[in-house]
Amino acid sequence: MLNVIIFGPPGSGKGTQGVKIAEKYGLAHVSTGDLLRKEIETNTHFGTIVKGYIDKGELVPDATIIEILDSYVDKLPVGQGIIFDGFPRTVEQAQSLMNMMAEHNAQISILVDLEVERQELIDRIVLRGKTSGRSDDNAETVEKRLAVYDEKTKPAVDFFDNLKLYKKIDGNGTIDEIFGRLCDAIDAVK
Ligand code: UDP
Ligand code: MG
């Protein structure tokens, strides 16, 4: 069973590429950001909690995110491979994910980390903000999201590197070029 983590800063292309990878390899695409936005849209108990964090560009607390993710993954068919998009975002979440996988007798196959220059990330997100309708896709919030990424999320790289699951990918170029690089990395561990 193939289980992939697509990792990288905001605007690095995780969502775009995650959908393509899910389709090609028959994986369930699990974007925690999308799950959170669904909670907000449908006005759930979790939705009211998480909205404030997202609007400020901060991370939703580990316990909340893990509970939402857990209940989603539990509903997938047994043996269904997954691509995790935008999760884990802290070392603690990384540890929780490994525990969750072990409970399901599953493993992470690879983490692919999309590397994109900072100014390009900002440009992409500000452009996306014009059509996405996302409350956090603007120049001010993006600075915060990038700072949070550097401080809290990036340390998870070492966690996965130590497990020999880490693969850096050049995230510059056309969507198809980047997709090709990702597929080469995934095919190598499949
Ligand atoms: N978020 C979070 N934990 C997650 C996923 C998302 O706290 O596991 C929050 C966080 O506030 C983040 C926002 O949701 O800034 C948007 O996340 P998403 O992954 O959609 O953004 P991306 O990084 O793909 O641009
Ligand atoms: Mg995304």
Side-chain angles (χ1 to χ4, degrees):
M1 195 207 328
L2 185 66
N3 291 294
V4 176
I5 299 170
I6 188 156
F7 192 89
S12 59
K14 302 183 296 291
T16 303
Q17 298 292 343
V19 168
K20 288 172 73 75
I21 292 167
E23 191 187 15
K24 171 162 176 174
Y25 295 95
L27 305 178
H29 177 229
V30 179
S31 157
T32 43
D34 288 349
L35 291 180
L36 293 174
R37 283 184 285 275
K38 203 173 295 161
E39 298 282 338
I40 294 170
E41 271 163 36
T42 54
N43 285 306
T44 65
H45 161 70
F46 280 130
T48 56
I49 298 175
V50 303
K51 187 173 187 328
Y53 292 99
I54 292 186
D55 288 351
K56 283 190 238 126
E58 285 166 7
L59 293 185
V60 173
D62 291 337
T64 307
I65 201 84
I66 286 156
E67 193 170 337
I68 293 170
L69 180 75
D70 233 345
S71 85
Y72 186 85
V73 168
D74 272 343
K75 288 182 204 123
L76 294 175
V78 175
Q80 170 68 57
I82 296 172
I83 178 158
F84 295 94
D85 164 359
F87 179 91
R89 269 177 143 89
T90 63
V91 173
E92 190 173 296
Q93 289 178 13
Q95 188 61 63
S96 297
L97 176 62
M98 298 316 267
N99 296 345
M100 190 178 97
M101 297 304 282
E103 278 165 29
H104 290 85
N105 289 314
Q107 286 100 32
I108 295 296
S109 314
I110 188 170
L111 178 151
V112 281
D113 180 14
L114 290 170
E115 263 215 326
V116 178
E117 240 186 77
R118 187 129 306 211
Q119 191 54 49
E120 168 77 8
L121 295 171
I122 295 168
D123 293 347
R124 285 186 191 178
I125 291 175
V126 170
L127 183 69
R128 181 171 77 182
K130 294 186 174 151
T131 54
S132 71
R134 276 178 51 168
S135 57
D136 59 346
D137 279 348
N138 56 70
E140 303 82 67
T141 313
V142 94
E143 291 292 339
K144 175 69 180 174
R145 287 161 67 196
L146 288 169
V148 168
Y149 175 80
D150 285 340
E151 186 197 340
K152 305 235 171 90
T153 305
K154 215 149 186 222
V157 163
D158 284 341
F159 179 94
F160 288 99
D161 199 25
N162 287 334
L163 297 171
K164 304 264 177 285
L165 294 172
Y166 178 78
K167 179 80 182 153
K168 188 184 288 189
I169 304 286
D170 179 0
N172 301 288
T174 67
I175 290 176
D176 285 340
E177 280 164 358
I178 301 163
F179 184 56
R181 292 175 201 136
L182 289 164
C183 292
D184 288 346
I186 293 168
D187 290 340
V189 298
K190 195 166 63 131

